[in-house]
Amino acid sequence: MAMLKESFTNSCCIAICLTSFMLFTGVSISFAQYRIGANYGQIANNLIPPGEVLKLIKSSSIGKVKLYNADPGILRTFAGSNIPIVVGIGNEIISSLTDPSVAQKWVDQNVAAYLPGTPISGIAVGNEVLTSNDAQLSSHLVPAMKNLHTALIYLGLDERLKVSTPHSLGVLSISYPPSAGSFRSDIATSAMKPVLDFLSRTGSAFMVNAYPFFAYKSNPTNVSLDYCLFRAATGITDPNTNLIYTNMLDAMVDAVYSAMDSLGYNGVGIVVSETGWPSSGDENETGASVENAMSYNRNLIAHLSSGKGTPLKPDASTEAFIFALFNENQKSGPSSERNYGLFTPSGLPVYDAGLVRSSPSAAGSPSSQAPESNSSHEAAWCIAKNETDASVLLSGINFACGVGGADCSAIQSSGSCYDPPTLASHASYAYNDYYQKRGRNPWNCDFDGTAVVSTTDPSYGSCQYLLKR
């Protein structure tokens, strides 16, 4: 990664100002204000049961869930949980819903039957229908959505639940620069315009599955990994708008905004219905690794939780559902498809994405193969490495002090650990507070490779570093 060219003083000022701004102004950092969702897929034969999944989610900062069906066991289990659920409808069911009576029956049996106990918040109709190369299915999509919405109106649920459909980014013919984003000519008028008209009329969001991983995998020579992983030291400027993009996901989302605007729909919001990064893949799947998956999802969470929108829509916070909750061993395709999970099928974290608030009491304990924790051994602290890129340190501070839940009051201007006012010093304090509170496991002290466990107490003067045994 290219080093920042700013002076050391300027880098420190940036870190201190941004950290203080987030801590003092309460920008949407906590999941109480802004929630990250996860896709709960079930193409596996070894997943923990829904009751254990619910405990796992409650032990984490995941605030909402999207299903690919309307599984009765899951919907019953999540009753009273206050975790919003978007239920899904498989592509194979869509055509039958062009019959209004079938749509009404589906809503009665799969939505109304579980309300108000289960907090169902929306219906996702199909998945990537308009890029399925099935003309008949595509023609049935909007009629099915309309019938489902009419069924909700009949039950007085149309304001509580919204109907939408997730799209692949393949619906775009142009995605770069973002300002030139446009839909494919073969679907723009015939298929996409009716979808957008429905979304605009019902106040529903456009759902898009956006994966920077695919862009990197297909062209690792010319696509920057740091840009994909929210680690770019410098941004890419859109030549038409002069807007600067520091990560690919924002660029993808803004390309969709531009495409909608080109058809006259600039008031429709966007929800990222799927995004993620695989922790493993085939030999030809460049970039699929635990390190990159952890970096992508941790930085994604920090980015979205900041409450900032995209460069084109800075006031419109982006919502996202991470793909996926679990590794799913029966998914077809390349091995990456079976390795997008935040958790193993038994409920253990695949890596530290910064989501787990406490150890899930019934979703399994760390396996014997996991790195040994320091929690009951010698005193240990997590500190920042020397000569680390300033932008990565800044990202680590913002993550630890934000969604990571570290208490960073001591490194504010009036705090006992404010001096010396350097990135490395502030990062060490923030990293350690996070590390101690997360269980003092080796994976809690990584921060994109910028942290290291030390057995030397970094405390000095009145600045005391947290230590838990």
Side-chain angles (χ1 to χ4, degrees):
M1 182 186 297
M3 294 296 290
L4 287 180
K5 303 299 184 183
E6 291 83 3
S7 69
F8 179 75
T9 301
N10 287 342
S11 298
C12 294
C13 179
I14 291 170
I16 295 163
C17 291
L18 283 181
T19 303
S20 299
F21 176 77
M22 290 188 296
L23 292 171
F24 281 106
T25 62
V27 172
S28 302
I29 275 293
S30 72
F31 284 101
Q33 296 167 292
Y34 189 91
R35 293 186 169 185
I36 299 296
N39 284 281
Y40 181 0
Q42 300 164 269
I43 307 178
N45 60 7
N46 56 353
L47 297 180
I48 54 177
E52 302 304 301
V53 175
L54 179 58
K55 292 177 183 178
L56 178 65
I57 291 173
K58 285 185 172 182
S59 75
S60 77
S61 296
I62 295 169
K64 54 189 175 184
V65 167
K66 183 166 77 69
L67 305 178
Y68 293 91
N69 54 23
D71 185 283
I74 294 174
L75 294 178
R76 283 193 296 267
T77 299
F78 276 64
S81 67
N82 294 320
I83 297 173
I85 298 178
V86 175
V87 294
I89 293 176
N91 288 2
E92 70 280 2
I93 299 175
I94 291 175
S95 292
S96 68
L97 299 175
T98 57
D99 181 336
S101 64
V102 175
Q104 185 67 61
K105 183 177 180 180
W106 190 94
V107 171
D108 289 342
Q109 293 180 344
N110 297 285
V111 176
Y114 299 97
L115 298 175
T118 303
I120 300 173
S121 60
I123 302 173
V125 185
N127 192 46
E128 302 185 349
V129 171
L130 299 187
T131 49
S132 66
N133 296 319
D134 187 330
Q136 183 179 50
L137 179 64
S138 295
S139 69
H140 289 166
L141 178 60
V142 172
M145 293 169 71
K146 287 181 176 179
N147 285 342
L148 290 165
H149 180 68
T150 299
L152 293 173
I153 292 175
Y154 177 77
L155 296 171
L157 299 173
D158 54 303
E159 292 298 323
R160 174 173 177 170
L161 282 82
K162 297 299 179 181
V163 177
S164 188
T165 182
H167 299 280
S168 160
L169 206 67
V171 296
L172 299 181
S173 60
I174 299 174
S175 60
Y176 181 82
S179 60
S182 59
F183 293 114
R184 285 170 26 191
S185 59
D186 60 318
I187 64 173
T189 302
S190 61
M192 189 57 74
K193 205 170 189 305
V195 170
L196 291 173
D197 187 67
F198 171 83
L199 298 178
S200 177
R201 196 166 43 80
T202 60
S204 302
F206 186 98
M207 302 181 85
V208 62
N209 301 337
Y211 288 90
F213 168 70
F214 293 152
Y216 180 73
K217 181 183 76 168
S218 64
N219 191 5
T221 301
N222 297 313
V223 175
S224 166
L225 179 61
D226 286 333
Y227 183 61
C228 293
L229 297 179
F230 302 87
R231 299 190 314 207
T234 58
I236 296 175
T237 302
D238 187 314
N240 299 322
T241 61
N242 289 323
L243 294 174
I244 298 174
Y245 289 84
T246 58
N247 66 84
M248 184 175 285
L249 184 66
D250 277 354
M252 289 176 165
V253 171
D254 276 356
V256 176
Y257 274 125
S258 295
M260 292 194 293
D261 186 52
S262 71
L263 291 182
Y265 296 91
N266 60 7
V268 177
I270 291 178
V271 168
V272 179
S273 41
E274 288 182 15
T275 190
W277 199 284
S279 59
S280 181
D282 294 328
E283 187 175 346
N284 64 346
E285 294 188 284
T286 305
S289 70
V290 168
E291 294 77 15
N292 289 340
M294 179 169 64
S295 181
Y296 181 80
N297 282 319
R298 287 205 309 193
N299 291 335
L300 167 72
I301 291 164
H303 178 67
L304 296 179
S305 298
S306 72
K308 297 177 182 177
T310 64
L312 185 61
K313 299 279 188 178
D315 297 325
S317 297
T318 306
E319 298 181 40
F321 289 87
I322 296 174
F323 186 85
L325 193 57
F326 296 107
N327 285 337
E328 298 171 60
N329 68 339
Q330 293 184 317
K331 292 200 71 175
S332 60
S335 61
S336 61
E337 285 294 317
R338 295 175 287 283
N339 288 283
Y340 274 92
L342 295 167
F343 299 94
T344 67
S346 61
L348 295 175
V350 176
Y351 48 83
D352 181 13
L355 287 168
V356 179
R357 292 194 297 252
S358 60
S359 298
S361 59
S365 56
S367 70
S368 59
Q369 297 177 341
E372 187 178 19
S373 168
N374 282 315
S375 58
S376 60
H377 294 80
E378 76 276 6
W381 296 263
C382 178
I383 60 173
K385 293 180 180 178
N386 293 326
E387 300 180 1
T388 297
D389 187 288
S391 65
V392 185
L393 282 178
L394 175 57
S395 176
I397 293 172
N398 289 345
F399 171 81
C401 299
V403 297
D407 180 359
C408 296
S409 57
I411 57 175
Q412 297 176 36
S413 59
S414 60
S416 59
C417 299
Y418 175 77
D419 291 321
T422 65
L423 270 175
S425 176
H426 287 191
S428 289
Y429 186 89
Y431 288 3
N432 182 68
D433 200 85
Y434 173 90
Y435 170 72
Q436 301 292 339
K437 291 177 178 176
R438 295 285 177 165
R440 301 173 70 233
N441 302 293
W443 57 85
N444 301 134
C445 186
D446 181 82
F447 293 91
D448 284 340
T450 68
V452 63
V453 174
S454 171
T455 55
T456 301
D457 187 353
S459 302
Y460 57 92
S462 62
C463 177
Q464 297 298 305
Y465 277 56
L466 181 65
L467 173 64
K468 291 188 176 182
R469 292 177 183 263

